[in-house]
Amino acid sequence: MIEEKIPNPNGELIETEISMGTVHPAALEPYRVRFFVEDEIIQEAEITIGVNHRGVERIMEGLPVEKANALTEKICGICSNSHTWNSVLTAEKGLNIDIPERANYIRVIMGELERLHSHLLYLAHGCEVLGHETFSMRIFYIRETVMDLLHMIGGNRVQYGVSIIGGVRPRCELNEMRIQKVESGLDELEKNIVNFSERFTSDPIVNSRIEGVGYLPPKQARKLAVTGPSLRACGFNYDLRTEMPQYDDFDFNIISLDTCDVKANLLMRVLESFESIKIIRQAIKNLPKGPIADRNWEMFDCDFIKSYIEVPRGICYHSFALEDGRVRGSVIRTPSMANIAAMQYAAIGNHITDGQLCIVQCDPCFTCTDRAFEIIEL
Amino acid sequence: MSLKSYSRQRAIHVMLVYTGGCNGCDIEIVNAVLSPKIDIEQYKVFLTWNPREADVLVVTGPVTYHNKEPLLKIYNDIPDPKLVIAAGSCALMGGVYKNIYGDIPSEEIEGPVENIIPVDAKVPGCAVRPQDILAGLISVLPNLLNSD
C-alpha cells in the first residue's frame, strides 16, 4: 500500500491518520479505510479495495452462456438473484426471447423478496454499527421470515437464483400452498416492520445519533453518480424500476427523502420495504396461468448486449457478446462501485466515532465491487 | 478435566475470518451465532473479533493472494489450544473460483484453506447452513476441551 499524507485545504499535512483494515472487526468484508483526523473530526477519508479480487468475468469468458449465468450468482451473497436475473436478461435481449408472463411474475416476486432481505440486512447492520444491539437482533428476527420464503421457493437460503434463459427453474413454480405461505409471511412481515419502525422513529437516543450525521449534499451525490436508495435519500426521485418493462404491470411509489443523512437512509429502507410488499401482493393476486419456461429458442451469435436493472443497492450493469453459444467479453458493474465515492465524501466533517456509520449508510458491498479495471491516463 | 477446560467449555469464542468469498457464508454464520432464530449463543458459543480471545477460527472463502498474510497472522495470534473450521465450498476446495485460469496455476487464489493452515473440521455447503455450522463446531469441540 502507498503510504502518503494528505494535505488539508490550507496546504498543511494532516498528521493524524486512523486506518482500519484489511481485516477488521467492525467490517465483515475486507477493505481498507484511512481516516485523516484533526481534533477528532474527519478531514479526509480514503477507501481502498482490491483485496478480494477473484475475477468472475475472467472465469465467465468462454463458458457456455447457461453456465456463465449460473456463475454470476456467486458474485455476491446478498444480491445473488439479481445478478442471475440481469445476466439472463442480457442473453434474452441478444437472442430475442420472450419469456412467459408467469415466469416474469415469479422473477419479480423473487427480486422483491431479495430487496426485502437486503434492506432488512442493511437495517440490522446499521443498528449494530450504531451500537443498538436490541434493534439489530429484532431485525435479524424479522428477516428470518423472508429467508424462509426464499428457502421455500429457491431451495437455498443464500444462492437461490431462479432465472434461466427462457423463464424460471421448474423448482420455483408457485403452487397454491406456496402462495398461501408467501401471503401469510408477508402479513407477518408487514406487522413486524410497522412495529419496528414505530419503535425506531420514536427512540430519542437513536435519533440523536443519526440525525444530521453523514450528510451528503444532493449536488455532490449527483456528481458522484450515486445510485439506488442512497440517491433517493438525497431527494432525487429516480428509480430504474419505473423504466423496466418487467415492472410494467405493477403499481408502486418511488420513495424519496430529502434530509440526506443517515436517518434518511435508514428510513428509506423501511419505507421501500412496504413498497416491495405491495408489489409482491399485486404479483400474487394477478399471477397469470401458463408455463413458466419457454424452451423453444435458438442460439445464434450476437454482438455486445447491455442490460441495466435496479437491484437492492442501485443500478447493476451486465454486458457480454455471444459466440458459438459462449460468453465473450463480459463486463459487470455493480452499484457499490459508484457508492464508494459517496461513502468517502459523507464521512468528511463528522466525528471519528461516526466514521464507520457513514460508510455503512451507503450499503457497501465490497465483495461484488472488487473487479479488475484499467485506468487510462488521457 | 482441568480447571481451564472446565471454564473454557462455558465460553467458547468463535472468530470469523473472511478471505474473499461471496459474503453469503459470512452472513449465514453471523446470523447463526447472533440472530434469535438459531442463536448459538444459548449454547455458550460467542462471536469475538479479537484473535487473542478466540478458541475457534472459522474461515470462509477461497484465500485470495492479498488475504494470505492476514490469515496467517490471525492464526498465529490465537493462543493454543485452537481449532480451525473451514466453512463453505470455497474454503474446502476453492469453489467456483479455484479453476480461474484453467490449467495455468492461479495467481489470485491461494486456497483452499488447507494449503495455508491446518484444518480440523470441514463444513460443506454453498452457502453453509447455520445448523451445519453448529454441528461442525460440536463435532470438534472434544479436541479442544481434552487437549490439556
Side-chain angles (χ1 to χ4, degrees), chain A residues 30 51 54 74 77 156-157 367, chain B residues 18 20-22 28 97 100 126:
Chain A
V51 178
R54 308 175 302 267
K74 314 287 182 200
N156 200 350
R157 278 170 63 94
T367 321
Chain B
Y18 165 96
C22 77
E28 288 297 276
Y97 312 115
I100 186 167
C126 179

Side-chain angles (χ1 to χ4, degrees), chain A residues 249-276:
Chain A
D249 300 349
F250 306 107
D251 173 37
F252 59 97
N253 302 326
I254 307 171
I255 312 284
S256 69
L257 297 169
D258 49 7
T259 46
C260 317
D261 53 1
V262 178
K263 189 180 181 184
N265 271 291
L266 287 168
L267 285 182
M268 192 72 219
R269 264 70 178 191
V270 175
L271 296 172
E272 281 205 347
S273 302
F274 294 127
E275 295 303 316
S276 294

Side-chain angles (χ1 to χ4, degrees), chain B residues 5-141:
Chain B
S5 297
Y6 181 77
S7 32
R8 185 180 284 128
Q9 77 175 11
R10 277 159 178 73
I12 306 287
H13 282 81
V14 173
M15 181 177 177
L16 173 66
V17 176
Y18 165 96
T19 60
C22 77
N23 236 345
C25 296
D26 312 82
I27 295 167
E28 288 297 276
I29 292 167
V30 174
N31 210 344
V33 180
L34 292 177
S35 87
K37 176 105 183 240
I38 293 125
D39 194 15
I40 306 185
E41 273 186 0
Q42 65 184 309
Y43 309 118
K44 311 265 190 264
V45 177
F46 302 99
L47 196 64
T48 178
W49 299 104
N50 185 354
R52 290 180 185 84
E53 276 178 16
D55 303 305
V56 181
L57 180 70
V58 179
V59 189
T60 63
V63 187
T64 55
Y65 176 77
H66 290 288
N67 270 322
K68 189 183 172 186
E69 281 300 308
L71 178 62
L72 273 173
K73 224 172 169 177
I74 288 168
Y75 179 73
N76 291 331
D77 277 352
I78 298 178
D80 282 327
K82 56 193 165 191
L83 291 178
V84 178
I85 297 177
S89 51
C90 296
L92 297 193
M93 40 161 277
V96 291
Y97 312 115
K98 178 63 184 170
N99 215 356
I100 186 167
Y101 295 115
D103 295 337
I104 310 164
S106 171
E107 291 170 9
E108 305 269 346
I109 309 291
E110 299 274 340
V113 178
E114 261 181 315
N115 294 353
I116 295 145
I117 52 175
V119 173
D120 295 280
K122 295 177 175 177
V123 182
C126 179
V128 287
R129 271 178 297 184
Q131 298 92 320
D132 291 350
I133 289 288
L134 184 58
L137 185 63
I138 284 169
S139 69
V140 283
L141 271 189

Side-chain angles (χ1 to χ4, degrees), chain A residues 363-378:
Chain A
D363 210 352
C365 182
F366 297 110
T367 321
C368 37
T369 312
D370 247 330
R371 342 224 121 266
F373 55 90
E374 195 181 359
I375 298 168
I376 306 167
E377 265 183 43
L378 294 174

